Amino acid sequence: MARRSKLVSGLLISGALVLSTLGVGGIALSAGATEAPASQSSASTSSHQGHTMAMPASTRASADDPDGDGYIPANPPVTGVEPSTKEPPHAYFHEFQAHCSVTHTKPDDPIVYPGQPGKSHDHTFMGNTTTDANSTTASLDSGGTKCLAPGDKSGYWMPTMLNGDKPVLPVGDQTIYYKAGVTDYTSVRPFPKGLRFVVGSPMQTAEEFRNHPGFVEGWECGTSYFNVNFPTDCPTTQDTQVNIRFQAPSCWDGKYLDTPDHKSHMAYPVVKNGTNDNVCPADHPVALPMIEFKMAFPVNGDLSKLRLSSGPSYSWHYDFFNAWDDRTLKAMVDHCVVGGLQCDPRGYDQNHPEAGAVLDANYELP
């Protein structure tokens, strides 16, 4: 898919969701647990165009955040970077895919509720096999992975989808794109180890979900696209599934691996005045890969009982915690994103076989 040019507006968040305590196939959903409870007094707030968004602050000490203030400094920070306004030779694609499968479900969130097992709504975890409330950069780094590339030990998670009281878990490899979100794809650099952030919010309204800068085509099924609510026209045919694609911010402040609201250290690109070019804003000048979740849920037909553990369809959001092997990620970013290729999980572009692959048949650096 080609990168979209889109004028970015701020993320708007309001309201709160309350869930009942349910027993779902061994999955415990915490009563009233969301990732941003309205009653939490330690919320960090910021405003955009007169609207206010509140996210819970991480105020519990951990190995990554010893003082528990929610700020995890980058070591070393990236300084002296200006947002690139260059226009490199046109490349229709500048991306690679990570293929990762579901590992487990838990009512945990090591980004929003570090060290507090059971406090979150239920999440479906992909990639790293050890992700839980106590996960740190070091623990993920030493864990296993169900991504095709053994070098990708990152944690990826999202609210669990439920059909009535039955979990609907994606089957097999799910596609996570790593793309250039800026016009100057040659300026994109790898994620720093330990970077983490939340995309979207469980408290967003339907309108905020639809207008979110990460919104691509909403909930899809069959020929039904751009849905804020789960589609009602979802044919009961073999291989028909409910899908969603959602993009993450890709501009980093260069200072923090996380902040109390788990968002403000990241930003979406903005459109440069008078052009269709996407550039990073001045206060978030470092261009990183743009992650795009492309998830497929094996459910069709009557979707009237479909919901998320975080609430309605428009409470969709996801988390990313980077634990890639540094050398592997840099090789993939340099070859595929900076190189202007459309790569599979081995870093191979079938339209440019002369460029070769980054990884060997075992998805490892040779």
Side-chain angles (χ1 to χ4, degrees):
M1 174 190 164
R3 173 185 51 79
R4 300 173 305 139
S5 294
K6 181 177 180 180
L7 182 61
V8 173
S9 60
L11 173 62
L12 313 177
I13 301 174
S14 64
L17 298 172
V18 178
L19 302 177
S20 300
T21 301
L22 297 172
V24 184
I27 298 174
L29 304 185
S30 303
T34 72
E35 290 181 346
S39 62
Q40 185 154 345
S41 61
S42 58
S44 170
T45 60
S46 61
S47 63
H48 178 83
Q49 297 180 348
H51 298 272
T52 299
M53 67 177 182
M55 291 295 292
S58 296
T59 56
R60 180 165 294 209
S62 69
D64 285 345
D65 183 17
D67 61 6
D69 67 353
Y71 290 95
I72 302 178
N75 185 21
V78 176
T79 59
V81 175
E82 296 290 334
S84 177
T85 58
K86 296 179 182 177
E87 295 186 27
H90 175 71
Y92 193 70
F93 294 101
H94 12 68
E95 64 185 43
F96 69 89
Q97 298 178 17
H99 285 183
C100 304
S101 57
V102 170
T103 58
H104 58 288
T105 62
K106 272 182 179 290
D108 288 1
D109 191 323
I111 296 178
V112 178
Y113 294 121
Q116 302 171 76
K119 188 165 184 179
S120 173
H121 54 254
D122 200 73
H123 283 110
T124 296
F125 292 89
M126 300 180 296
N128 198 291
T129 58
T130 67
T131 315
D132 62 17
N134 295 309
S135 291
T136 63
T137 304
S139 73
L140 293 179
D141 211 25
S142 62
T145 184
K146 288 189 71 173
C147 296
L148 285 183
D152 184 6
K153 296 185 178 181
S154 301
Y156 307 91
W157 60 96
M158 56 195 171
T160 298
M161 180 180 284
L162 300 164
N163 191 8
D165 289 344
K166 182 180 179 181
V168 180
L169 304 181
V171 177
D173 293 334
Q174 301 300 299
T175 301
I176 301 165
Y177 289 100
Y178 283 66
K179 303 183 176 185
V182 293
T183 298
D184 184 9
Y185 56 88
T186 67
S187 69
V188 176
R189 64 180 70 195
F191 292 117
K193 182 71 72 68
L195 182 77
R196 67 208 74 181
F197 52 77
V198 179
V199 184
S201 170
M203 298 191 306
Q204 62 204 358
T205 65
E207 181 181 5
E208 289 161 356
F209 174 64
R210 178 63 184 87
N211 293 325
H212 193 283
F215 187 98
V216 181
E217 293 179 354
W219 294 103
E220 311 171 354
C221 186
T223 58
S224 182
Y225 301 90
F226 298 105
N227 294 293
V228 169
N229 296 308
F230 294 123
T232 55
D233 181 17
C234 189
T236 308
T237 56
Q238 187 176 6
D239 298 329
T240 300
Q241 302 184 89
V242 171
N243 303 282
I244 191 167
R245 292 161 61 189
F246 211 83
Q247 296 175 343
S250 60
C251 297
W252 179 43
D253 66 7
K255 301 175 183 177
Y256 297 105
L257 301 178
D258 196 13
T259 44
D261 64 1
H262 319 296
K263 295 174 181 288
S264 60
H265 56 307
M266 301 296 297
Y268 284 88
V270 296
V271 175
K272 186 170 67 174
N273 289 338
T275 72
N276 289 322
D277 294 344
N278 288 340
V279 300
C280 284
D283 55 355
H284 291 76
V286 184
L288 301 177
M290 181 193 73
I291 286 180
E292 178 183 305
F293 264 34
K294 184 179 181 182
M295 302 291 110
F297 298 89
V299 62
N300 56 37
D302 180 10
L303 305 183
S304 61
K305 295 182 180 179
L306 207 62
R307 61 189 175 90
L308 300 175
S309 61
S310 54
S313 57
Y314 48 81
S315 69
W316 168 260
H317 59 287
Y318 62 87
D319 301 52
F320 169 68
F321 195 142
N322 176 46
W324 273 88
D325 169 70
D326 289 333
R327 289 180 59 247
T328 304
L329 180 59
K330 178 172 172 50
M332 293 289 282
V333 170
D334 288 352
H335 184 74
C336 302
V337 180
V338 175
L341 299 175
Q342 184 185 24
C343 294
D344 65 13
R346 286 188 58 217
Y348 177 76
D349 185 343
Q350 64 180 358
N351 295 312
H352 293 280
E354 74 283 357
V358 176
L359 307 179
D360 62 20
N362 296 317
Y363 297 91
E364 296 180 307
L365 284 175

